[in-house]
Every structure is written in structure tokens, then in C-alpha cells.
Amino acid sequence: MIRITVSYPTALGQRFDHDYYQKQHAALIRELLQPLGLQRLEIDRVVSDGGGKPAPFIAAAHMLFNDIATFKAAMAQHGKALAADLDNYTDTAPSVLISETY
């Protein structure tokens, strides 16, 4: 199983609409990617770092797929639509991390 983490770094003056991200964008991810192999989606609103200080990230999404090939095929089909929705909730560029889970 692989986990794709899409995180949004905290930036001074940034715009991030958590309500839209948690409801509309998450629904779009599920609608487009579940038929293509998305096993699970988790959406985070980051509240602090481990020491209680402001976190380096404001939000994250975690998507689980059985394998990297399935994820790549799903994104080849719908990646542009998901990226086009970005402006509806943030002006921050996300970072992507792909991990194997055990």
C-alpha cells in the first residue's frame, strides 16, 4: 500500500479555506479517484507542531492506493481537474510525498 501526502506549508498572509477543502475538495477527490483505486482519504487541519508552536503546515490530505501504478493512472486521468480546484481554497503551492505503508 502507498500513501500520498499532499501538504500545504504555512505562509505569512496565505489564504486557505478549510471548510471548502474539507467538504468540496475532499468530495471531488473521492468522486474522481475512488473508482480508480483510492482506498482511503484523510483530510487534516493542522493545529500545532509537537511542541505547541505554530505548525510548518496548515493542512494535508492523505490518500491511500494499493500501488504506485494505480495512483499514477488515476492522476493521469484526473490530476488536472484536481489541480484546477486549487484556486478555490488556497493560494499556497502544495508539496507531495509518496510513502510505502506497513
Side-chain angles (χ1 to χ4, degrees), residues 5-30:
T5 300
V6 180
S7 56
Y8 298 84
T10 302
L12 186 62
Q14 80 187 117
R15 176 184 64 81
F16 198 96
D17 184 340
H18 286 281
D19 188 58
Y20 184 95
Y21 185 61
Q22 293 171 3
K23 294 177 183 170
Q24 283 85 4
H25 190 69
L28 182 62
I29 292 170
R30 286 182 180 100

PDB file of all heavy atoms in Angstrom, residues 5-30:
ATOM      1  N   THR A   5       0.836  11.964   0.482  1.00  0.00           N
ATOM      2  CA  THR A   5       0.524  13.077   1.377  1.00  0.00           C
ATOM      3  C   THR A   5       0.724  14.366   0.606  1.00  0.00           C
ATOM      4  O   THR A   5       1.812  14.622   0.085  1.00  0.00           O
ATOM      5  CB  THR A   5       1.432  13.058   2.624  1.00  0.00           C
ATOM      6  OG1 THR A   5       1.226  11.820   3.318  1.00  0.00           O
ATOM      7  CG2 THR A   5       1.119  14.221   3.545  1.00  0.00           C
ATOM      8  N   VAL A   6      -0.341  15.146   0.520  1.00  0.00           N
ATOM      9  CA  VAL A   6      -0.291  16.459  -0.119  1.00  0.00           C
ATOM     10  C   VAL A   6      -0.429  17.464   1.011  1.00  0.00           C
ATOM     11  O   VAL A   6      -1.460  17.524   1.676  1.00  0.00           O
ATOM     12  CB  VAL A   6      -1.432  16.635  -1.145  1.00  0.00           C
ATOM     13  CG1 VAL A   6      -1.342  18.006  -1.798  1.00  0.00           C
ATOM     14  CG2 VAL A   6      -1.388  15.519  -2.183  1.00  0.00           C
ATOM     15  N   SER A   7       0.636  18.217   1.274  1.00  0.00           N
ATOM     16  CA  SER A   7       0.617  19.150   2.402  1.00  0.00           C
ATOM     17  C   SER A   7       0.804  20.579   1.914  1.00  0.00           C
ATOM     18  O   SER A   7       1.413  20.828   0.871  1.00  0.00           O
ATOM     19  CB  SER A   7       1.685  18.778   3.426  1.00  0.00           C
ATOM     20  OG  SER A   7       2.956  18.714   2.833  1.00  0.00           O
ATOM     21  N   TYR A   8       0.264  21.493   2.697  1.00  0.00           N
ATOM     22  CA  TYR A   8       0.264  22.911   2.353  1.00  0.00           C
ATOM     23  C   TYR A   8       1.057  23.665   3.404  1.00  0.00           C
ATOM     24  O   TYR A   8       0.635  23.769   4.556  1.00  0.00           O
ATOM     25  CB  TYR A   8      -1.180  23.435   2.286  1.00  0.00           C
ATOM     26  CG  TYR A   8      -1.967  22.733   1.211  1.00  0.00           C
ATOM     27  CD1 TYR A   8      -2.583  21.507   1.465  1.00  0.00           C
ATOM     28  CD2 TYR A   8      -2.033  23.247  -0.071  1.00  0.00           C
ATOM     29  CE1 TYR A   8      -3.274  20.837   0.472  1.00  0.00           C
ATOM     30  CE2 TYR A   8      -2.727  22.579  -1.066  1.00  0.00           C
ATOM     31  CZ  TYR A   8      -3.341  21.375  -0.797  1.00  0.00           C
ATOM     32  OH  TYR A   8      -4.012  20.702  -1.783  1.00  0.00           O
ATOM     33  N   PRO A   9       2.248  24.176   3.047  1.00  0.00           N
ATOM     34  CA  PRO A   9       3.085  24.874   4.017  1.00  0.00           C
ATOM     35  C   PRO A   9       2.428  26.159   4.515  1.00  0.00           C
ATOM     36  O   PRO A   9       1.721  26.836   3.773  1.00  0.00           O
ATOM     37  CB  PRO A   9       4.361  25.199   3.249  1.00  0.00           C
ATOM     38  CG  PRO A   9       4.211  24.639   1.892  1.00  0.00           C
ATOM     39  CD  PRO A   9       2.840  24.107   1.733  1.00  0.00           C
ATOM     40  N   THR A  10       2.662  26.444   5.771  1.00  0.00           N
ATOM     41  CA  THR A  10       2.186  27.686   6.358  1.00  0.00           C
ATOM     42  C   THR A  10       2.995  28.837   5.781  1.00  0.00           C
ATOM     43  O   THR A  10       4.220  28.761   5.700  1.00  0.00           O
ATOM     44  CB  THR A  10       2.351  27.653   7.894  1.00  0.00           C
ATOM     45  OG1 THR A  10       1.620  26.530   8.394  1.00  0.00           O
ATOM     46  CG2 THR A  10       1.844  28.924   8.532  1.00  0.00           C
ATOM     47  N   ALA A  11       2.311  29.893   5.371  1.00  0.00           N
ATOM     48  CA  ALA A  11       2.978  31.062   4.811  1.00  0.00           C
ATOM     49  C   ALA A  11       2.273  32.328   5.300  1.00  0.00           C
ATOM     50  O   ALA A  11       1.045  32.340   5.450  1.00  0.00           O
ATOM     51  CB  ALA A  11       2.950  31.011   3.288  1.00  0.00           C
ATOM     52  N   LEU A  12       3.045  33.347   5.553  1.00  0.00           N
ATOM     53  CA  LEU A  12       2.506  34.617   6.017  1.00  0.00           C
ATOM     54  C   LEU A  12       1.525  35.189   4.993  1.00  0.00           C
ATOM     55  O   LEU A  12       1.822  35.260   3.803  1.00  0.00           O
ATOM     56  CB  LEU A  12       3.644  35.611   6.253  1.00  0.00           C
ATOM     57  CG  LEU A  12       3.264  36.940   6.876  1.00  0.00           C
ATOM     58  CD1 LEU A  12       2.671  36.727   8.275  1.00  0.00           C
ATOM     59  CD2 LEU A  12       4.472  37.845   6.951  1.00  0.00           C
ATOM     60  N   GLY A  13       0.323  35.514   5.437  1.00  0.00           N
ATOM     61  CA  GLY A  13      -0.681  36.131   4.574  1.00  0.00           C
ATOM     62  C   GLY A  13      -1.380  35.183   3.625  1.00  0.00           C
ATOM     63  O   GLY A  13      -2.122  35.631   2.751  1.00  0.00           O
ATOM     64  N   GLN A  14      -1.179  33.890   3.792  1.00  0.00           N
ATOM     65  CA  GLN A  14      -1.788  32.947   2.865  1.00  0.00           C
ATOM     66  C   GLN A  14      -3.306  32.863   3.048  1.00  0.00           C
ATOM     67  O   GLN A  14      -3.837  33.195   4.100  1.00  0.00           O
ATOM     68  CB  GLN A  14      -1.178  31.557   3.029  1.00  0.00           C
ATOM     69  CG  GLN A  14      -1.731  30.772   4.212  1.00  0.00           C
ATOM     70  CD  GLN A  14      -0.989  29.474   4.442  1.00  0.00           C
ATOM     71  OE1 GLN A  14      -0.391  29.322   5.467  1.00  0.00           O
ATOM     72  NE2 GLN A  14      -1.013  28.572   3.498  1.00  0.00           N
ATOM     73  N   ARG A  15      -3.945  32.401   2.010  1.00  0.00           N
ATOM     74  CA  ARG A  15      -5.383  32.150   2.047  1.00  0.00           C
ATOM     75  C   ARG A  15      -5.578  30.647   1.994  1.00  0.00           C
ATOM     76  O   ARG A  15      -5.036  29.954   1.131  1.00  0.00           O
ATOM     77  CB  ARG A  15      -6.042  32.811   0.833  1.00  0.00           C
ATOM     78  CG  ARG A  15      -7.537  32.547   0.699  1.00  0.00           C
ATOM     79  CD  ARG A  15      -8.100  33.153  -0.577  1.00  0.00           C
ATOM     80  NE  ARG A  15      -7.549  32.569  -1.794  1.00  0.00           N
ATOM     81  CZ  ARG A  15      -7.951  31.422  -2.348  1.00  0.00           C
ATOM     82  NH1 ARG A  15      -8.913  30.721  -1.804  1.00  0.00           N
ATOM     83  NH2 ARG A  15      -7.403  30.993  -3.480  1.00  0.00           N
ATOM     84  N   PHE A  16      -6.349  30.134   2.957  1.00  0.00           N
ATOM     85  CA  PHE A  16      -6.682  28.713   2.950  1.00  0.00           C
ATOM     86  C   PHE A  16      -8.071  28.549   3.529  1.00  0.00           C
ATOM     87  O   PHE A  16      -8.311  28.856   4.690  1.00  0.00           O
ATOM     88  CB  PHE A  16      -5.677  27.879   3.762  1.00  0.00           C
ATOM     89  CG  PHE A  16      -5.750  26.422   3.405  1.00  0.00           C
ATOM     90  CD1 PHE A  16      -4.886  25.890   2.476  1.00  0.00           C
ATOM     91  CD2 PHE A  16      -6.716  25.601   3.963  1.00  0.00           C
ATOM     92  CE1 PHE A  16      -4.972  24.549   2.104  1.00  0.00           C
ATOM     93  CE2 PHE A  16      -6.818  24.265   3.601  1.00  0.00           C
ATOM     94  CZ  PHE A  16      -5.938  23.746   2.676  1.00  0.00           C
ATOM     95  N   ASP A  17      -8.996  28.060   2.715  1.00  0.00           N
ATOM     96  CA  ASP A  17     -10.387  27.864   3.117  1.00  0.00           C
ATOM     97  C   ASP A  17     -10.570  26.406   3.546  1.00  0.00           C
ATOM     98  O   ASP A  17     -10.794  25.522   2.722  1.00  0.00           O
ATOM     99  CB  ASP A  17     -11.312  28.211   1.943  1.00  0.00           C
ATOM    100  CG  ASP A  17     -12.782  28.137   2.287  1.00  0.00           C
ATOM    101  OD1 ASP A  17     -13.151  27.480   3.286  1.00  0.00           O
ATOM    102  OD2 ASP A  17     -13.582  28.718   1.536  1.00  0.00           O
ATOM    103  N   HIS A  18     -10.437  26.166   4.861  1.00  0.00           N
ATOM    104  CA  HIS A  18     -10.534  24.804   5.384  1.00  0.00           C
ATOM    105  C   HIS A  18     -11.905  24.186   5.113  1.00  0.00           C
ATOM    106  O   HIS A  18     -11.996  22.993   4.827  1.00  0.00           O
ATOM    107  CB  HIS A  18     -10.248  24.784   6.886  1.00  0.00           C
ATOM    108  CG  HIS A  18      -8.805  24.961   7.212  1.00  0.00           C
ATOM    109  ND1 HIS A  18      -7.886  23.948   7.119  1.00  0.00           N
ATOM    110  CD2 HIS A  18      -8.122  26.051   7.623  1.00  0.00           C
ATOM    111  CE1 HIS A  18      -6.700  24.391   7.466  1.00  0.00           C
ATOM    112  NE2 HIS A  18      -6.810  25.661   7.779  1.00  0.00           N
ATOM    113  N   ASP A  19     -12.957  24.970   5.215  1.00  0.00           N
ATOM    114  CA  ASP A  19     -14.298  24.446   5.005  1.00  0.00           C
ATOM    115  C   ASP A  19     -14.444  23.902   3.578  1.00  0.00           C
ATOM    116  O   ASP A  19     -14.923  22.791   3.369  1.00  0.00           O
ATOM    117  CB  ASP A  19     -15.338  25.529   5.286  1.00  0.00           C
ATOM    118  CG  ASP A  19     -16.753  24.985   5.276  1.00  0.00           C
ATOM    119  OD1 ASP A  19     -17.036  24.062   6.069  1.00  0.00           O
ATOM    120  OD2 ASP A  19     -17.577  25.478   4.473  1.00  0.00           O
ATOM    121  N   TYR A  20     -14.013  24.685   2.598  1.00  0.00           N
ATOM    122  CA  TYR A  20     -14.066  24.236   1.208  1.00  0.00           C
ATOM    123  C   TYR A  20     -13.200  22.995   1.024  1.00  0.00           C
ATOM    124  O   TYR A  20     -13.616  22.022   0.400  1.00  0.00           O
ATOM    125  CB  TYR A  20     -13.601  25.350   0.256  1.00  0.00           C
ATOM    126  CG  TYR A  20     -13.742  24.963  -1.190  1.00  0.00           C
ATOM    127  CD1 TYR A  20     -14.875  25.313  -1.910  1.00  0.00           C
ATOM    128  CD2 TYR A  20     -12.753  24.218  -1.842  1.00  0.00           C
ATOM    129  CE1 TYR A  20     -15.028  24.933  -3.243  1.00  0.00           C
ATOM    130  CE2 TYR A  20     -12.892  23.834  -3.156  1.00  0.00           C
ATOM    131  CZ  TYR A  20     -14.030  24.193  -3.860  1.00  0.00           C
ATOM    132  OH  TYR A  20     -14.172  23.803  -5.168  1.00  0.00           O
ATOM    133  N   TYR A  21     -11.989  23.019   1.564  1.00  0.00           N
ATOM    134  CA  TYR A  21     -11.044  21.909   1.410  1.00  0.00           C
ATOM    135  C   TYR A  21     -11.610  20.620   1.994  1.00  0.00           C
ATOM    136  O   TYR A  21     -11.543  19.564   1.362  1.00  0.00           O
ATOM    137  CB  TYR A  21      -9.731  22.280   2.096  1.00  0.00           C
ATOM    138  CG  TYR A  21      -8.607  21.288   1.927  1.00  0.00           C
ATOM    139  CD1 TYR A  21      -8.106  20.987   0.671  1.00  0.00           C
ATOM    140  CD2 TYR A  21      -8.026  20.674   3.027  1.00  0.00           C
ATOM    141  CE1 TYR A  21      -7.060  20.093   0.511  1.00  0.00           C
ATOM    142  CE2 TYR A  21      -6.973  19.781   2.875  1.00  0.00           C
ATOM    143  CZ  TYR A  21      -6.502  19.501   1.619  1.00  0.00           C
ATOM    144  OH  TYR A  21      -5.468  18.614   1.464  1.00  0.00           O
ATOM    145  N   GLN A  22     -12.183  20.705   3.182  1.00  0.00           N
ATOM    146  CA  GLN A  22     -12.696  19.523   3.878  1.00  0.00           C
ATOM    147  C   GLN A  22     -13.987  18.995   3.271  1.00  0.00           C
ATOM    148  O   GLN A  22     -14.264  17.797   3.371  1.00  0.00           O
ATOM    149  CB  GLN A  22     -12.908  19.827   5.357  1.00  0.00           C
ATOM    150  CG  GLN A  22     -11.611  20.082   6.084  1.00  0.00           C
ATOM    151  CD  GLN A  22     -11.817  20.602   7.490  1.00  0.00           C
ATOM    152  OE1 GLN A  22     -12.940  20.727   7.968  1.00  0.00           O
ATOM    153  NE2 GLN A  22     -10.727  20.915   8.156  1.00  0.00           N
ATOM    154  N   LYS A  23     -14.755  19.856   2.664  1.00  0.00           N
ATOM    155  CA  LYS A  23     -16.040  19.420   2.111  1.00  0.00           C
ATOM    156  C   LYS A  23     -15.976  19.250   0.597  1.00  0.00           C
ATOM    157  O   LYS A  23     -16.041  18.133   0.091  1.00  0.00           O
ATOM    158  CB  LYS A  23     -17.144  20.397   2.518  1.00  0.00           C
ATOM    159  CG  LYS A  23     -17.392  20.378   4.014  1.00  0.00           C
ATOM    160  CD  LYS A  23     -18.418  21.392   4.415  1.00  0.00           C
ATOM    161  CE  LYS A  23     -18.571  21.392   5.949  1.00  0.00           C
ATOM    162  NZ  LYS A  23     -19.380  22.524   6.392  1.00  0.00           N
ATOM    163  N   GLN A  24     -15.842  20.325  -0.134  1.00  0.00           N
ATOM    164  CA  GLN A  24     -15.915  20.247  -1.597  1.00  0.00           C
ATOM    165  C   GLN A  24     -14.704  19.561  -2.232  1.00  0.00           C
ATOM    166  O   GLN A  24     -14.857  18.708  -3.108  1.00  0.00           O
ATOM    167  CB  GLN A  24     -16.108  21.646  -2.209  1.00  0.00           C
ATOM    168  CG  GLN A  24     -17.506  22.178  -2.102  1.00  0.00           C
ATOM    169  CD  GLN A  24     -17.788  22.874  -0.773  1.00  0.00           C
ATOM    170  OE1 GLN A  24     -16.923  23.029   0.078  1.00  0.00           O
ATOM    171  NE2 GLN A  24     -19.029  23.286  -0.594  1.00  0.00           N
ATOM    172  N   HIS A  25     -13.497  19.959  -1.823  1.00  0.00           N
ATOM    173  CA  HIS A  25     -12.322  19.359  -2.470  1.00  0.00           C
ATOM    174  C   HIS A  25     -12.200  17.879  -2.113  1.00  0.00           C
ATOM    175  O   HIS A  25     -11.914  17.049  -2.980  1.00  0.00           O
ATOM    176  CB  HIS A  25     -11.045  20.117  -2.123  1.00  0.00           C
ATOM    177  CG  HIS A  25      -9.877  19.687  -2.952  1.00  0.00           C
ATOM    178  ND1 HIS A  25      -9.786  19.947  -4.306  1.00  0.00           N
ATOM    179  CD2 HIS A  25      -8.760  18.988  -2.626  1.00  0.00           C
ATOM    180  CE1 HIS A  25      -8.662  19.432  -4.785  1.00  0.00           C
ATOM    181  NE2 HIS A  25      -8.016  18.842  -3.784  1.00  0.00           N
ATOM    182  N   ALA A  26     -12.428  17.534  -0.862  1.00  0.00           N
ATOM    183  CA  ALA A  26     -12.387  16.125  -0.461  1.00  0.00           C
ATOM    184  C   ALA A  26     -13.426  15.313  -1.230  1.00  0.00           C
ATOM    185  O   ALA A  26     -13.153  14.188  -1.673  1.00  0.00           O
ATOM    186  CB  ALA A  26     -12.601  15.991   1.047  1.00  0.00           C
ATOM    187  N   ALA A  27     -14.624  15.870  -1.411  1.00  0.00           N
ATOM    188  CA  ALA A  27     -15.670  15.176  -2.176  1.00  0.00           C
ATOM    189  C   ALA A  27     -15.233  14.976  -3.627  1.00  0.00           C
ATOM    190  O   ALA A  27     -15.489  13.923  -4.225  1.00  0.00           O
ATOM    191  CB  ALA A  27     -16.978  15.957  -2.106  1.00  0.00           C
ATOM    192  N   LEU A  28     -14.564  15.971  -4.196  1.00  0.00           N
ATOM    193  CA  LEU A  28     -14.067  15.857  -5.569  1.00  0.00           C
ATOM    194  C   LEU A  28     -13.007  14.757  -5.672  1.00  0.00           C
ATOM    195  O   LEU A  28     -13.028  13.955  -6.610  1.00  0.00           O
ATOM    196  CB  LEU A  28     -13.495  17.199  -6.038  1.00  0.00           C
ATOM    197  CG  LEU A  28     -12.973  17.255  -7.470  1.00  0.00           C
ATOM    198  CD1 LEU A  28     -14.089  16.987  -8.477  1.00  0.00           C
ATOM    199  CD2 LEU A  28     -12.310  18.601  -7.731  1.00  0.00           C
ATOM    200  N   ILE A  29     -12.100  14.701  -4.715  1.00  0.00           N
ATOM    201  CA  ILE A  29     -11.084  13.645  -4.700  1.00  0.00           C
ATOM    202  C   ILE A  29     -11.757  12.275  -4.688  1.00  0.00           C
ATOM    203  O   ILE A  29     -11.425  11.390  -5.476  1.00  0.00           O
ATOM    204  CB  ILE A  29     -10.145  13.788  -3.487  1.00  0.00           C
ATOM    205  CG1 ILE A  29      -9.282  15.045  -3.614  1.00  0.00           C
ATOM    206  CG2 ILE A  29      -9.264  12.539  -3.330  1.00  0.00           C
ATOM    207  CD1 ILE A  29      -8.512  15.395  -2.350  1.00  0.00           C
ATOM    208  N   ARG A  30     -12.717  12.101  -3.775  1.00  0.00           N
ATOM    209  CA  ARG A  30     -13.408  10.812  -3.675  1.00  0.00           C
ATOM    210  C   ARG A  30     -14.159  10.475  -4.968  1.00  0.00           C
ATOM    211  O   ARG A  30     -14.088   9.357  -5.466  1.00  0.00           O
ATOM    212  CB  ARG A  30     -14.362  10.826  -2.483  1.00  0.00           C
ATOM    213  CG  ARG A  30     -13.659  10.732  -1.159  1.00  0.00           C
ATOM    214  CD  ARG A  30     -14.651  10.688   0.015  1.00  0.00           C
ATOM    215  NE  ARG A  30     -13.955  10.609   1.265  1.00  0.00           N
ATOM    216  CZ  ARG A  30     -13.741  11.645   2.079  1.00  0.00           C
ATOM    217  NH1 ARG A  30     -14.211  12.845   1.778  1.00  0.00           N
ATOM    218  NH2 ARG A  30     -13.080  11.474   3.213  1.00  0.00           N
TER     219      ARG A  30
END
